[in-house]
Amino acid sequence: SYELTQPPSVSVSPGQTARITCSGDALPKQYAYWYQQKPGQAPVLVIYKDSERPSGIPERFSGSSSGTTVTLTISGVQAEDEADYYCQSADSSGTYRTVFGTGTKVTVL
Amino acid sequence: EVQLVESGGGLVKPGGSLRLSCAASGFTFSSYSMNWVRQAPGKGLEWVSSISSSSSYIYYADSVKGRFTISRDNAKNSLYLQMNSLRAEDTAVYYCARVLSDGMDVWGQGTTVTVSS
């Protein structure tokens, strides 16, 4: 089955830049989406279609894509950015299934 | 305000059934595909099922295929998930979410399903 792989954790100091990668064979053919989830809360979409930012999402959140890897970048990290982050994409094999990445815990030191 | 509100969760014995509902408001529900996504305690997000705006296209994760049924009533602005033959591994918070392209831009607050004897 199709998988999206993320690092389990990323640690960053306030004001620095956090980069979270997501790898998957179908990513060159399918858009990626990124979600932020804080404890006890529902996920929130922070990036769609690889690099688009929904209204209301701070400009410090950005996305990029290169080959089989997509990256979520948080520039000038703030304490409130501490959360779990998940990438998500679609399986391109014709099964029309949605797949989530394994998730990355971002810790602000 | 665009909103999704899930209900119907609870405690059920293995092999039992439960029907989840998701009430939509603040947008034209009939224009959007919808998803169910779940999250087991301490685990990541898992896509469960998708339904197109007119119910023409329906998809399931392998883990629930044959046991769960997704449906919708556009006249009532509601999404449903009928869950049968429940197992302990179905224990999770279940979210409904509005589909934006292949992603999900609006999520409900979730409803908790616990499968235990």
Side-chain angles (χ1 to χ4, degrees):
Chain A
S1 61
Y2 183 50
E3 295 181 347
L4 295 173
T5 302
Q6 300 179 233
S9 62
V10 168
S11 297
V12 59
S13 299
Q16 298 303 302
T17 297
R19 294 181 179 85
I20 307 165
T21 58
C22 171
S23 299
D25 290 341
L27 289 176
K29 293 170 283 187
Q30 298 287 349
Y31 282 123
Y33 301 78
W34 289 94
Y35 305 90
Q36 176 195 67
Q37 186 180 34
K38 297 181 179 179
Q41 298 184 19
V44 173
L45 179 69
V46 295
I47 294 290
Y48 67 98
K49 291 186 176 181
D50 291 347
S51 59
E52 301 295 320
R53 194 173 50 250
S55 61
I57 300 301
E59 290 184 7
R60 63 180 181 273
F61 289 88
S62 63
S64 61
S65 176
S66 179
T68 58
T69 300
V70 294
T71 302
L72 173 68
T73 301
I74 312 173
S75 304
V77 167
Q78 300 183 7
E80 67 200 53
D81 300 330
E82 185 164 291
D84 293 324
Y85 291 83
Y86 296 91
C87 62
Q88 174 254 309
S89 190
D91 188 339
S92 65
S93 66
T95 61
Y96 303 100
R97 290 172 183 151
T98 292
V99 179
F100 285 97
T102 48
T104 299
K105 169 67 177 179
V106 170
T107 300
V108 181
L109 301 171
Chain B
E1 179 192 4
V2 174
Q3 196 172 14
L4 297 171
V5 179
E6 303 93 337
S7 60
L11 174 64
V12 61
K13 290 181 169 54
S17 298
L18 212 54
R19 189 195 196 206
L20 306 184
S21 299
C22 170
S25 59
F27 65 99
T28 305
F29 179 71
S30 59
S31 297
Y32 290 86
S33 295
M34 298 292 295
N35 284 348
W36 285 101
V37 174
R38 68 184 180 183
Q39 187 170 35
K43 302 297 184 181
L45 300 172
E46 179 188 15
W47 169 76
V48 172
S49 183
S50 298
I51 186 168
S52 62
S53 57
S54 60
S55 303
S56 298
Y57 301 97
I58 288 175
Y59 307 104
Y60 297 99
D62 287 343
S63 57
V64 306
K65 201 167 189 177
R67 301 187 298 121
F68 290 12
T69 302
I70 191 172
S71 63
R72 65 191 295 162
D73 186 335
N74 287 341
K76 295 183 178 180
N77 292 333
S78 293
L79 175 72
Y80 306 102
L81 187 67
Q82 177 67 42
M83 304 186 296
N84 298 332
S85 302
L86 283 162
R87 307 166 179 167
E89 53 264 37
D90 296 318
T91 294
V93 175
Y94 285 74
Y95 297 99
C96 63
R98 187 177 79 171
V99 173
L100 168 69
S101 187
D102 288 324
M104 289 157 267
D105 66 337
V106 179
W107 294 65
Q109 85 289 349
T111 187
T112 300
V113 173
T114 303
V115 184
S116 174
S117 55

